[in-house]
Amino acid sequence: METFRHLAKNIDLNTEDKRINTLGQGNVLIATIANQGYSNVLMQLGEHKLSAEQVAEKLYRRCCEFMESGAQASEYLADQLMLPLALCGGGEFTTNELTLHAKTNGDVIKLFGGDVKYTKLKANLWKVFVSPIAC
């Protein structure tokens, strides 16, 4: 936490340190970024032979990349938004990265009669258009 707080000292940030006894892999650091009236949650899991400080550095870099992109939804939220949009009348949003998982979700939506289109706006910003599934 101290490493993350130090790296993010120029960002308006509220931090909370929770220690939980669990059988999990170890360190996990979670950042919630409020943006345009909603929140994105970014997480970095600890890895074998990866120090807590390295976990903090990795998450900090991801947070900076996401915030610099100007995207509405992180790459992990993007694929989760597509199906509700397709079922509820369609919509659009921006994401910082178009993952294989998002593309696969788009392909599944197309199989059910909806449509998903992607437009690259810049190196780290994509616009995702989701058309509704006809019921």
Side-chain angles (χ1 to χ4, degrees):
M1 280 299 294
E2 288 307 314
T3 299
F4 189 78
R5 284 183 184 121
H6 175 73
L7 290 169
K9 64 183 173 237
N10 295 325
I11 300 172
D12 183 20
L13 183 68
N14 292 322
T15 59
E16 180 181 351
D17 189 358
K18 287 186 180 180
R19 299 190 186 270
I20 301 169
N21 291 327
T22 180
L23 298 175
Q25 296 186 83
N27 298 324
V28 63
L29 191 57
I30 300 170
T32 303
I33 300 172
N35 183 12
Q36 302 176 27
Y38 54 89
S39 297
N40 279 270
V41 178
L42 286 88
M43 178 177 68
Q44 187 64 50
L45 291 173
E47 299 173 30
H48 184 66
K49 296 187 179 183
L50 188 67
S51 70
E53 292 78 15
Q54 291 170 308
V55 171
E57 290 168 5
K58 286 177 92 171
L59 181 62
Y60 174 72
R61 282 193 304 274
R62 289 185 50 224
C63 289
C64 289
E65 290 169 3
F66 173 70
M67 290 185 298
E68 288 169 5
S69 75
Q72 296 167 312
S74 72
E75 67 269 26
Y76 299 109
L77 179 58
D79 63 83
Q80 299 297 311
L81 290 174
M82 297 163 103
L83 183 58
L85 284 174
L87 293 173
C88 296
E92 60 186 58
F93 60 91
T94 56
T95 185
N96 60 313
E97 185 179 333
L98 192 59
T99 65
L100 180 58
H101 197 181
K103 291 176 187 176
T104 302
N105 281 356
D107 290 343
V108 170
I109 289 167
K110 289 176 186 178
L111 290 172
F112 286 90
D115 194 19
V116 180
K117 296 191 184 319
Y118 317 101
T119 303
K120 189 172 189 173
L121 302 176
K122 59 182 184 178
N124 60 349
L125 188 64
W126 291 83
K127 186 135 199 158
V128 179
F129 300 89
V130 182
S131 298
I133 293 173
C135 295

